[in-house]
Amino acid sequence: MSALHIKKGSTRHSAYNLRPTFSDVQERHTIAVLVENEPGVLARVIGLFSGRGYNIESLTVAEVDHTGHLSRITIVTTGTPQVIEQIKAQLGRIVSVRDVHDLTVEGDSVERELAIIKVVGEGDKRVEALRLADIFRANVVDSTLNSFIFEITGAPDKIDAFADLMRPLGLVEIARTGVAALLRGE
């Protein structure tokens, strides 16, 4: 067998890929976590994120099985592909966690959010706010002589667009529920 003659630092002739495989691209992922509904489980899940400096863009929690005492935590976060994989692996190691699904990777999903938005204005601004609410299919849930409270549901981008259009018309307050998401199909 002959010796390999490889120049020092050369990767072109190497059998190993010596180039880094890490990506610097930040990706947005929606992660659904099924947990046992017990005291402290939410704190443990959120502590995983805060302890490692990961950001949570959206967080939604609700009990989904009363008899089985199970809750679903839907988390929207951003990170490199390596960070997202690390988050999923560490979530899976928490004792109270039953299941972890990355809805962004596993297939098409439906994401919805609810927001209520207070707009204060008079005259033409009120008329324009009602016109835009009709276009976005937002419902008026409260009305006074100088304000409206709108309820809107949809994808987060739709809610962002509606809020951006309402700002010059007198948007003074907004409350959002956070993303709820499910995989499409079976």
Side-chain angles (χ1 to χ4, degrees):
M1 207 178 229
S2 65
L4 292 174
H5 299 287
I6 299 175
K7 295 178 186 173
K8 188 173 185 179
S10 174
T11 59
R12 200 173 63 172
H13 296 85
S14 176
Y16 302 100
N17 182 6
L18 301 177
R19 292 187 177 93
T21 58
F22 299 107
S23 172
D24 291 339
V25 177
Q26 294 284 316
E27 299 176 349
R28 179 183 177 274
H29 283 255
T30 303
I31 300 171
V33 185
L34 193 63
V35 299
E36 296 172 10
N37 192 6
E38 59 186 34
V41 70
L42 180 61
R44 286 192 295 276
V45 169
I46 301 313
L48 179 139
F49 282 80
S50 65
R52 288 162 182 80
Y54 303 146
N55 187 40
I56 295 175
E57 292 182 10
S58 173
L59 175 72
T60 307
V61 183
E63 189 173 44
V64 293
D65 183 359
H66 299 294
T67 58
H69 302 290
L70 296 175
S71 291
R72 180 182 175 104
I73 302 173
T74 305
I75 303 166
V76 178
T77 188
T78 55
T80 64
Q82 295 77 23
V83 167
I84 299 298
E85 288 303 316
Q86 185 177 17
I87 288 171
K88 292 188 297 187
Q90 290 172 349
L91 282 170
R93 288 187 201 116
I94 297 174
V95 173
S96 302
V97 171
R98 292 269 187 94
D99 212 359
V100 178
H101 292 281
D102 187 346
L103 302 180
T104 306
V105 173
E106 293 182 17
D108 291 335
S109 63
V110 176
E111 293 186 2
R112 292 293 180 265
E113 187 174 6
L114 170 90
I116 51 176
I117 298 171
K118 184 189 286 187
V119 178
V120 174
E122 295 178 354
D124 289 342
K125 288 188 176 186
R126 285 178 63 88
V127 173
E128 182 65 11
L130 285 172
R131 189 183 70 75
L132 287 171
D134 187 47
I135 291 170
F136 279 85
R137 294 189 176 109
N139 298 317
V140 176
V141 293
D142 185 61
S143 178
T144 66
L145 292 176
N146 62 354
S147 72
F148 289 115
I149 296 180
F150 297 104
E151 172 190 76
I152 183 169
T153 58
D157 292 343
K158 174 185 175 182
I159 293 172
D160 290 340
F162 184 67
D164 288 343
L165 290 172
M166 287 296 169
R167 276 189 180 81
L169 299 177
L171 186 146
V172 292
E173 196 171 357
I174 184 169
R176 296 175 79 152
T177 60
V179 173
L182 289 173
L183 280 175
R184 294 187 68 211
E186 298 177 31

